[in-house]
mmCIF file with all atom_site columns, all heavy atoms in Angstrom:
data_model
loop_
_atom_site.group_PDB
_atom_site.id
_atom_site.type_symbol
_atom_site.label_atom_id
_atom_site.label_alt_id
_atom_site.label_comp_id
_atom_site.label_asym_id
_atom_site.label_entity_id
_atom_site.label_seq_id
_atom_site.pdbx_PDB_ins_code
_atom_site.Cartn_x
_atom_site.Cartn_y
_atom_site.Cartn_z
_atom_site.occupancy
_atom_site.B_iso_or_equiv
_atom_site.pdbx_formal_charge
_atom_site.auth_seq_id
_atom_site.auth_comp_id
_atom_site.auth_asym_id
_atom_site.auth_atom_id
_atom_site.pdbx_PDB_model_num
ATOM 1   N N   . THR A 1 109 ? -24.796 193.571 156.182 1.00 0.00 ? 109 THR A N   1
ATOM 2   C CA  . THR A 1 109 ? -23.947 194.751 156.004 1.00 0.00 ? 109 THR A CA  1
ATOM 3   C C   . THR A 1 109 ? -23.597 195.454 157.314 1.00 0.00 ? 109 THR A C   1
ATOM 4   O O   . THR A 1 109 ? -22.689 196.271 157.344 1.00 0.00 ? 109 THR A O   1
ATOM 5   C CB  . THR A 1 109 ? -24.619 195.793 155.083 1.00 0.00 ? 109 THR A CB  1
ATOM 6   O OG1 . THR A 1 109 ? -25.791 196.300 155.727 1.00 0.00 ? 109 THR A OG1 1
ATOM 7   C CG2 . THR A 1 109 ? -24.963 195.199 153.734 1.00 0.00 ? 109 THR A CG2 1
ATOM 8   N N   . HIS A 1 110 ? -24.343 195.160 158.374 1.00 0.00 ? 110 HIS A N   1
ATOM 9   C CA  . HIS A 1 110 ? -24.183 195.825 159.673 1.00 0.00 ? 110 HIS A CA  1
ATOM 10  C C   . HIS A 1 110 ? -24.501 197.318 159.560 1.00 0.00 ? 110 HIS A C   1
ATOM 11  O O   . HIS A 1 110 ? -24.019 198.121 160.364 1.00 0.00 ? 110 HIS A O   1
ATOM 12  C CB  . HIS A 1 110 ? -22.779 195.637 160.245 1.00 0.00 ? 110 HIS A CB  1
ATOM 13  C CG  . HIS A 1 110 ? -22.436 194.229 160.613 1.00 0.00 ? 110 HIS A CG  1
ATOM 14  N ND1 . HIS A 1 110 ? -21.706 193.933 161.740 1.00 0.00 ? 110 HIS A ND1 1
ATOM 15  C CD2 . HIS A 1 110 ? -22.694 193.041 160.013 1.00 0.00 ? 110 HIS A CD2 1
ATOM 16  C CE1 . HIS A 1 110 ? -21.530 192.625 161.814 1.00 0.00 ? 110 HIS A CE1 1
ATOM 17  N NE2 . HIS A 1 110 ? -22.125 192.067 160.775 1.00 0.00 ? 110 HIS A NE2 1
ATOM 18  N N   . GLN A 1 111 ? -25.306 197.694 158.569 1.00 0.00 ? 111 GLN A N   1
ATOM 19  C CA  . GLN A 1 111 ? -25.674 199.092 158.364 1.00 0.00 ? 111 GLN A CA  1
ATOM 20  C C   . GLN A 1 111 ? -27.190 199.224 158.357 1.00 0.00 ? 111 GLN A C   1
ATOM 21  O O   . GLN A 1 111 ? -27.853 198.645 157.499 1.00 0.00 ? 111 GLN A O   1
ATOM 22  C CB  . GLN A 1 111 ? -25.120 199.599 157.037 1.00 0.00 ? 111 GLN A CB  1
ATOM 23  C CG  . GLN A 1 111 ? -23.613 199.594 156.979 1.00 0.00 ? 111 GLN A CG  1
ATOM 24  C CD  . GLN A 1 111 ? -23.086 200.061 155.648 1.00 0.00 ? 111 GLN A CD  1
ATOM 25  O OE1 . GLN A 1 111 ? -23.697 200.901 154.998 1.00 0.00 ? 111 GLN A OE1 1
ATOM 26  N NE2 . GLN A 1 111 ? -21.964 199.513 155.232 1.00 0.00 ? 111 GLN A NE2 1
ATOM 27  N N   . LEU A 1 112 ? -27.719 199.981 159.302 1.00 0.00 ? 112 LEU A N   1
ATOM 28  C CA  . LEU A 1 112 ? -29.169 200.140 159.347 1.00 0.00 ? 112 LEU A CA  1
ATOM 29  C C   . LEU A 1 112 ? -29.661 200.881 158.111 1.00 0.00 ? 112 LEU A C   1
ATOM 30  O O   . LEU A 1 112 ? -28.962 201.745 157.570 1.00 0.00 ? 112 LEU A O   1
ATOM 31  C CB  . LEU A 1 112 ? -29.609 200.823 160.638 1.00 0.00 ? 112 LEU A CB  1
ATOM 32  C CG  . LEU A 1 112 ? -29.100 202.214 160.973 1.00 0.00 ? 112 LEU A CG  1
ATOM 33  C CD1 . LEU A 1 112 ? -29.935 203.290 160.314 1.00 0.00 ? 112 LEU A CD1 1
ATOM 34  C CD2 . LEU A 1 112 ? -29.109 202.387 162.474 1.00 0.00 ? 112 LEU A CD2 1
ATOM 35  N N   . LYS A 1 113 ? -30.854 200.491 157.652 1.00 0.00 ? 113 LYS A N   1
ATOM 36  C CA  . LYS A 1 113 ? -31.421 201.089 156.443 1.00 0.00 ? 113 LYS A CA  1
ATOM 37  C C   . LYS A 1 113 ? -32.913 200.827 156.423 1.00 0.00 ? 113 LYS A C   1
ATOM 38  O O   . LYS A 1 113 ? -33.385 199.783 156.854 1.00 0.00 ? 113 LYS A O   1
ATOM 39  C CB  . LYS A 1 113 ? -30.778 200.477 155.199 1.00 0.00 ? 113 LYS A CB  1
ATOM 40  C CG  . LYS A 1 113 ? -31.318 201.033 153.884 1.00 0.00 ? 113 LYS A CG  1
ATOM 41  C CD  . LYS A 1 113 ? -30.609 200.401 152.709 1.00 0.00 ? 113 LYS A CD  1
ATOM 42  C CE  . LYS A 1 113 ? -31.086 200.931 151.391 1.00 0.00 ? 113 LYS A CE  1
ATOM 43  N NZ  . LYS A 1 113 ? -30.719 202.306 151.114 1.00 0.00 ? 113 LYS A NZ  1
ATOM 44  N N   . SER A 1 114 ? -33.643 201.780 155.890 1.00 0.00 ? 114 SER A N   1
ATOM 45  C CA  . SER A 1 114 ? -35.075 201.633 155.675 1.00 0.00 ? 114 SER A CA  1
ATOM 46  C C   . SER A 1 114 ? -35.419 202.398 154.406 1.00 0.00 ? 114 SER A C   1
ATOM 47  O O   . SER A 1 114 ? -35.029 203.559 154.269 1.00 0.00 ? 114 SER A O   1
ATOM 48  C CB  . SER A 1 114 ? -35.844 202.201 156.866 1.00 0.00 ? 114 SER A CB  1
ATOM 49  O OG  . SER A 1 114 ? -37.215 202.235 156.587 1.00 0.00 ? 114 SER A OG  1
ATOM 50  N N   . ASN A 1 125 ? -32.992 196.936 156.804 1.00 0.00 ? 125 ASN A N   1
ATOM 51  C CA  . ASN A 1 125 ? -31.844 196.265 157.394 1.00 0.00 ? 125 ASN A CA  1
ATOM 52  C C   . ASN A 1 125 ? -31.743 196.820 158.809 1.00 0.00 ? 125 ASN A C   1
ATOM 53  O O   . ASN A 1 125 ? -31.592 198.044 158.978 1.00 0.00 ? 125 ASN A O   1
ATOM 54  C CB  . ASN A 1 125 ? -30.575 196.565 156.602 1.00 0.00 ? 125 ASN A CB  1
ATOM 55  C CG  . ASN A 1 125 ? -29.347 195.858 157.157 1.00 0.00 ? 125 ASN A CG  1
ATOM 56  O OD1 . ASN A 1 125 ? -29.222 195.649 158.352 1.00 0.00 ? 125 ASN A OD1 1
ATOM 57  N ND2 . ASN A 1 125 ? -28.425 195.514 156.284 1.00 0.00 ? 125 ASN A ND2 1
ATOM 58  N N   . PRO A 1 126 ? -31.829 195.962 159.838 1.00 0.00 ? 126 PRO A N   1
ATOM 59  C CA  . PRO A 1 126 ? -31.848 196.461 161.217 1.00 0.00 ? 126 PRO A CA  1
ATOM 60  C C   . PRO A 1 126 ? -30.488 196.881 161.755 1.00 0.00 ? 126 PRO A C   1
ATOM 61  O O   . PRO A 1 126 ? -30.393 197.344 162.890 1.00 0.00 ? 126 PRO A O   1
ATOM 62  C CB  . PRO A 1 126 ? -32.377 195.263 161.997 1.00 0.00 ? 126 PRO A CB  1
ATOM 63  C CG  . PRO A 1 126 ? -31.866 194.091 161.229 1.00 0.00 ? 126 PRO A CG  1
ATOM 64  C CD  . PRO A 1 126 ? -31.969 194.509 159.776 1.00 0.00 ? 126 PRO A CD  1
ATOM 65  N N   . GLY A 1 127 ? -29.439 196.727 160.959 1.00 0.00 ? 127 GLY A N   1
ATOM 66  C CA  . GLY A 1 127 ? -28.094 196.979 161.466 1.00 0.00 ? 127 GLY A CA  1
ATOM 67  C C   . GLY A 1 127 ? -27.581 195.743 162.183 1.00 0.00 ? 127 GLY A C   1
ATOM 68  O O   . GLY A 1 127 ? -27.986 194.627 161.874 1.00 0.00 ? 127 GLY A O   1
ATOM 69  N N   . SER A 1 128 ? -26.719 195.937 163.152 1.00 0.00 ? 128 SER A N   1
ATOM 70  C CA  . SER A 1 128 ? -26.087 194.824 163.854 1.00 0.00 ? 128 SER A CA  1
ATOM 71  C C   . SER A 1 128 ? -26.131 195.042 165.357 1.00 0.00 ? 128 SER A C   1
ATOM 72  O O   . SER A 1 128 ? -25.910 196.159 165.829 1.00 0.00 ? 128 SER A O   1
ATOM 73  C CB  . SER A 1 128 ? -24.623 194.703 163.413 1.00 0.00 ? 128 SER A CB  1
ATOM 74  O OG  . SER A 1 128 ? -23.907 193.830 164.261 1.00 0.00 ? 128 SER A OG  1
ATOM 75  N N   . SER A 1 132 ? -21.451 198.179 164.385 1.00 0.00 ? 132 SER A N   1
ATOM 76  C CA  . SER A 1 132 ? -21.959 198.922 163.237 1.00 0.00 ? 132 SER A CA  1
ATOM 77  C C   . SER A 1 132 ? -20.832 199.194 162.264 1.00 0.00 ? 132 SER A C   1
ATOM 78  O O   . SER A 1 132 ? -19.719 199.518 162.663 1.00 0.00 ? 132 SER A O   1
ATOM 79  C CB  . SER A 1 132 ? -22.556 200.257 163.690 1.00 0.00 ? 132 SER A CB  1
ATOM 80  O OG  . SER A 1 132 ? -22.899 201.039 162.570 1.00 0.00 ? 132 SER A OG  1
ATOM 81  N N   . GLY A 1 134 ? -21.762 201.222 159.603 1.00 0.00 ? 134 GLY A N   1
ATOM 82  C CA  . GLY A 1 134 ? -22.328 202.359 158.893 1.00 0.00 ? 134 GLY A CA  1
ATOM 83  C C   . GLY A 1 134 ? -21.941 203.681 159.526 1.00 0.00 ? 134 GLY A C   1
ATOM 84  O O   . GLY A 1 134 ? -21.071 203.745 160.388 1.00 0.00 ? 134 GLY A O   1
ATOM 85  N N   . HIS A 1 136 ? -23.784 205.309 161.465 1.00 0.00 ? 136 HIS A N   1
ATOM 86  C CA  . HIS A 1 136 ? -24.304 205.325 162.830 1.00 0.00 ? 136 HIS A CA  1
ATOM 87  C C   . HIS A 1 136 ? -23.471 204.369 163.683 1.00 0.00 ? 136 HIS A C   1
ATOM 88  O O   . HIS A 1 136 ? -23.372 203.196 163.358 1.00 0.00 ? 136 HIS A O   1
ATOM 89  C CB  . HIS A 1 136 ? -25.775 204.907 162.850 1.00 0.00 ? 136 HIS A CB  1
ATOM 90  C CG  . HIS A 1 136 ? -26.629 205.752 161.964 1.00 0.00 ? 136 HIS A CG  1
ATOM 91  N ND1 . HIS A 1 136 ? -26.983 207.039 162.285 1.00 0.00 ? 136 HIS A ND1 1
ATOM 92  C CD2 . HIS A 1 136 ? -27.172 205.508 160.751 1.00 0.00 ? 136 HIS A CD2 1
ATOM 93  C CE1 . HIS A 1 136 ? -27.720 207.550 161.313 1.00 0.00 ? 136 HIS A CE1 1
ATOM 94  N NE2 . HIS A 1 136 ? -27.853 206.644 160.378 1.00 0.00 ? 136 HIS A NE2 1
ATOM 95  N N   . TYR A 1 138 ? -23.966 202.898 166.418 1.00 0.00 ? 138 TYR A N   1
ATOM 96  C CA  . TYR A 1 138 ? -24.722 202.147 167.416 1.00 0.00 ? 138 TYR A CA  1
ATOM 97  C C   . TYR A 1 138 ? -24.927 200.694 167.021 1.00 0.00 ? 138 TYR A C   1
ATOM 98  O O   . TYR A 1 138 ? -25.062 200.371 165.844 1.00 0.00 ? 138 TYR A O   1
ATOM 99  C CB  . TYR A 1 138 ? -26.101 202.794 167.626 1.00 0.00 ? 138 TYR A CB  1
ATOM 100 C CG  . TYR A 1 138 ? -26.024 204.275 167.880 1.00 0.00 ? 138 TYR A CG  1
ATOM 101 C CD1 . TYR A 1 138 ? -26.345 205.173 166.877 1.00 0.00 ? 138 TYR A CD1 1
ATOM 102 C CD2 . TYR A 1 138 ? -25.603 204.763 169.112 1.00 0.00 ? 138 TYR A CD2 1
ATOM 103 C CE1 . TYR A 1 138 ? -26.260 206.537 167.097 1.00 0.00 ? 138 TYR A CE1 1
ATOM 104 C CE2 . TYR A 1 138 ? -25.514 206.118 169.346 1.00 0.00 ? 138 TYR A CE2 1
ATOM 105 C CZ  . TYR A 1 138 ? -25.838 207.011 168.328 1.00 0.00 ? 138 TYR A CZ  1
ATOM 106 O OH  . TYR A 1 138 ? -25.755 208.347 168.546 1.00 0.00 ? 138 TYR A OH  1
ATOM 107 N N   . THR A 1 140 ? -27.601 198.000 166.785 1.00 0.00 ? 140 THR A N   1
ATOM 108 C CA  . THR A 1 140 ? -29.019 198.305 166.600 1.00 0.00 ? 140 THR A CA  1
ATOM 109 C C   . THR A 1 140 ? -29.882 197.114 166.230 1.00 0.00 ? 140 THR A C   1
ATOM 110 O O   . THR A 1 140 ? -29.409 196.078 165.764 1.00 0.00 ? 140 THR A O   1
ATOM 111 C CB  . THR A 1 140 ? -29.192 199.358 165.488 1.00 0.00 ? 140 THR A CB  1
ATOM 112 O OG1 . THR A 1 140 ? -28.621 198.867 164.273 1.00 0.00 ? 140 THR A OG1 1
ATOM 113 C CG2 . THR A 1 140 ? -28.546 200.679 165.865 1.00 0.00 ? 140 THR A CG2 1
ATOM 114 N N   . TYR A 1 141 ? -31.192 197.331 166.424 1.00 0.00 ? 141 TYR A N   1
ATOM 115 C CA  . TYR A 1 141 ? -32.255 196.483 165.899 1.00 0.00 ? 141 TYR A CA  1
ATOM 116 C C   . TYR A 1 141 ? -33.382 197.413 165.467 1.00 0.00 ? 141 TYR A C   1
ATOM 117 O O   . TYR A 1 141 ? -33.326 198.625 165.717 1.00 0.00 ? 141 TYR A O   1
ATOM 118 C CB  . TYR A 1 141 ? -32.724 195.444 166.929 1.00 0.00 ? 141 TYR A CB  1
ATOM 119 C CG  . TYR A 1 141 ? -33.364 196.005 168.167 1.00 0.00 ? 141 TYR A CG  1
ATOM 120 C CD1 . TYR A 1 141 ? -34.751 196.153 168.261 1.00 0.00 ? 141 TYR A CD1 1
ATOM 121 C CD2 . TYR A 1 141 ? -32.602 196.370 169.273 1.00 0.00 ? 141 TYR A CD2 1
ATOM 122 C CE1 . TYR A 1 141 ? -35.354 196.651 169.408 1.00 0.00 ? 141 TYR A CE1 1
ATOM 123 C CE2 . TYR A 1 141 ? -33.189 196.876 170.421 1.00 0.00 ? 141 TYR A CE2 1
ATOM 124 C CZ  . TYR A 1 141 ? -34.561 197.011 170.484 1.00 0.00 ? 141 TYR A CZ  1
ATOM 125 O OH  . TYR A 1 141 ? -35.150 197.510 171.617 1.00 0.00 ? 141 TYR A OH  1
ATOM 126 N N   . PHE A 1 155 ? -35.476 202.585 164.902 1.00 0.00 ? 155 PHE A N   1
ATOM 127 C CA  . PHE A 1 155 ? -34.264 201.849 165.251 1.00 0.00 ? 155 PHE A CA  1
ATOM 128 C C   . PHE A 1 155 ? -33.927 202.122 166.712 1.00 0.00 ? 155 PHE A C   1
ATOM 129 O O   . PHE A 1 155 ? -34.099 203.246 167.203 1.00 0.00 ? 155 PHE A O   1
ATOM 130 C CB  . PHE A 1 155 ? -33.098 202.276 164.354 1.00 0.00 ? 155 PHE A CB  1
ATOM 131 C CG  . PHE A 1 155 ? -33.302 201.904 162.909 1.00 0.00 ? 155 PHE A CG  1
ATOM 132 C CD1 . PHE A 1 155 ? -33.848 202.811 162.015 1.00 0.00 ? 155 PHE A CD1 1
ATOM 133 C CD2 . PHE A 1 155 ? -32.959 200.638 162.451 1.00 0.00 ? 155 PHE A CD2 1
ATOM 134 C CE1 . PHE A 1 155 ? -34.051 202.480 160.686 1.00 0.00 ? 155 PHE A CE1 1
ATOM 135 C CE2 . PHE A 1 155 ? -33.157 200.293 161.127 1.00 0.00 ? 155 PHE A CE2 1
ATOM 136 C CZ  . PHE A 1 155 ? -33.707 201.217 160.241 1.00 0.00 ? 155 PHE A CZ  1
ATOM 137 N N   . LEU A 1 163 ? -33.317 205.554 168.651 1.00 0.00 ? 163 LEU A N   1
ATOM 138 C CA  . LEU A 1 163 ? -32.376 206.439 167.974 1.00 0.00 ? 163 LEU A CA  1
ATOM 139 C C   . LEU A 1 163 ? -33.126 207.577 167.300 1.00 0.00 ? 163 LEU A C   1
ATOM 140 O O   . LEU A 1 163 ? -34.199 207.356 166.722 1.00 0.00 ? 163 LEU A O   1
ATOM 141 C CB  . LEU A 1 163 ? -31.564 205.675 166.924 1.00 0.00 ? 163 LEU A CB  1
ATOM 142 C CG  . LEU A 1 163 ? -30.700 204.524 167.425 1.00 0.00 ? 163 LEU A CG  1
ATOM 143 C CD1 . LEU A 1 163 ? -29.928 203.922 166.270 1.00 0.00 ? 163 LEU A CD1 1
ATOM 144 C CD2 . LEU A 1 163 ? -29.753 204.988 168.508 1.00 0.00 ? 163 LEU A CD2 1
#
Side-chain angles (χ1 to χ4, degrees):
T109 66
H110 294 219
Q111 297 178 32
L112 60 85
K113 179 179 181 69
S114 172
N125 181 327
S128 168
S132 173
H136 304 286
Y138 310 103
T140 58
Y141 64 94
F155 294 94
L163 299 182

